[in-house]
Amino acid sequence: MKVVINPAYLFLSDFINNLPDCFESEGEVIYEGRNTIKRFSIKNMDIAVKSFKVPLLVNRFTYTYFRKSKAARSYYYAFEIKRRGFLTPDPIAYVETYKGGLLKGSYFVSVYDSASETVRSLMAGENVPDAENKLRSFAFFTAALHEAEIYHIDYSPGNVLIKNMPDNTYQFSLIDINRMQFKSVSKEEAYVNLARLSFSPSAPCYACFVTFQSRNVCGSGVVFSFPTLQCRQ
């Protein structure tokens, strides 16, 4: 077993080292699908633990010898996102288990952000308070991500958190971060990134317009065509 713990959270070592034994029977399920996410309350802290599905044999070999596991990528990418000035729940640890010398399972442990919610309702065009300002703030956030050379491959409404701040501004953070690229983002890649958000035609159109205006990609009088979000004059 391999365990890597953020030095700021060494007081959680006992819990983290015991994760492979307690994950199935303890904790509150908050998401269950291909992977499982559970919430734990340990030493007055709310903690999220994501258990990644056991990979296929070929991927077990790849993750053992050639590529970091999804849990390890989530952990290290969290530090890189923060280093570039953006938010993601604090990374606490990752755990890898092995069988027959190959990766069997992996767990990513982070702080659970109970004060934020996803942007699903906003992007679905629901009756969300102050929706226009939220969309505008989200669009500028997206543009800033791209300018900082942060490309979230799974940039979907469920993977961006929004929090109302006391000064009536909005704070955004990224989750589900095991598939990231840190590179220059072309305008075509930015289109694709925003297209993944397309629930309601009006919400992503507005977000796309503000995003590309802020990056000086499109001029005034821009028209966006759906579903591909092609930008044209």
Side-chain angles (χ1 to χ4, degrees):
M1 185 169 77
K2 179 179 180 180
V3 178
V4 174
I5 303 175
N6 182 341
Y9 295 97
L10 287 175
F11 63 94
L12 297 171
S13 294
D14 289 345
F15 166 74
I16 293 165
N17 282 288
N18 194 45
L19 257 181
D21 296 324
C22 74
F23 184 83
E24 292 298 326
S25 59
E26 299 178 19
E28 171 195 355
V29 176
I30 55 178
Y31 175 82
E32 192 161 23
R34 182 178 55 183
N35 307 306
T36 301
I37 304 174
K38 285 190 171 184
R39 178 180 180 178
F40 294 82
S41 293
I42 308 294
K43 297 187 177 181
N44 297 317
M45 279 192 63
D46 279 343
I47 296 170
V49 180
K50 184 172 186 177
S51 172
F52 291 93
K53 179 183 177 182
V54 177
L56 299 173
L57 181 60
V58 63
N59 290 333
R60 289 178 62 196
F61 184 85
T62 299
Y63 290 142
T64 300
Y65 294 107
F66 302 108
R67 192 180 181 194
K68 285 184 172 64
S69 70
K70 293 180 179 181
R73 295 202 303 270
S74 299
Y75 179 80
Y76 292 114
Y77 288 170
F79 286 106
E80 182 62 21
I81 289 167
K82 288 175 174 288
R83 188 188 72 80
R84 294 179 184 230
F86 294 84
L87 297 176
T88 188
D90 248 10
I92 295 175
Y94 73 91
V95 178
E96 296 173 348
T97 60
Y98 293 82
K99 183 176 181 180
L102 298 178
L103 181 76
K104 179 184 178 184
S106 62
Y107 305 83
F108 172 56
V109 187
S110 67
V111 172
Y112 180 78
D113 185 357
S114 59
S116 302
E117 61 181 349
T118 70
V119 297
R120 282 195 181 100
S121 297
L122 181 65
M123 299 311 297
E126 296 179 11
N127 187 20
V128 175
D130 202 26
E132 183 172 336
N133 282 331
K134 286 179 178 176
L135 278 168
R136 182 184 296 274
S137 297
F138 173 69
F140 280 114
F141 166 76
T142 301
L145 278 180
H146 294 164
E147 291 295 327
E149 300 188 346
I150 299 175
Y151 189 72
H152 193 321
I153 296 173
D154 294 324
Y155 200 58
S156 65
N159 291 337
V160 183
L161 301 180
I162 183 172
K163 180 180 179 181
N164 297 350
M165 303 303 288
D167 61 354
N168 295 319
T169 60
Y170 302 103
Q171 178 179 281
F172 298 91
S173 61
L174 301 175
I175 58 175
D176 197 7
I177 56 174
N178 72 91
R179 298 213 313 147
M180 307 283 295
Q181 293 179 354
F182 300 97
K183 64 170 191 173
S184 177
V185 180
S186 70
K187 65 180 182 180
E188 290 79 13
E189 289 170 323
Y191 295 152
V192 171
N193 227 199
L194 282 166
R196 291 182 60 84
L197 299 165
S198 185
F199 280 9
S200 163
S202 59
C205 182
Y206 183 83
C208 190
F209 175 77
V210 176
T211 297
F212 291 111
Q213 285 289 90
S214 69
R215 293 190 67 192
N216 295 317
V217 173
C218 299
S220 59
V222 171
V223 177
F224 294 99
S225 61
F226 291 88
T228 56
L229 289 178
Q230 295 296 315
C231 173
R232 65 183 188 273
Q233 300 293 335

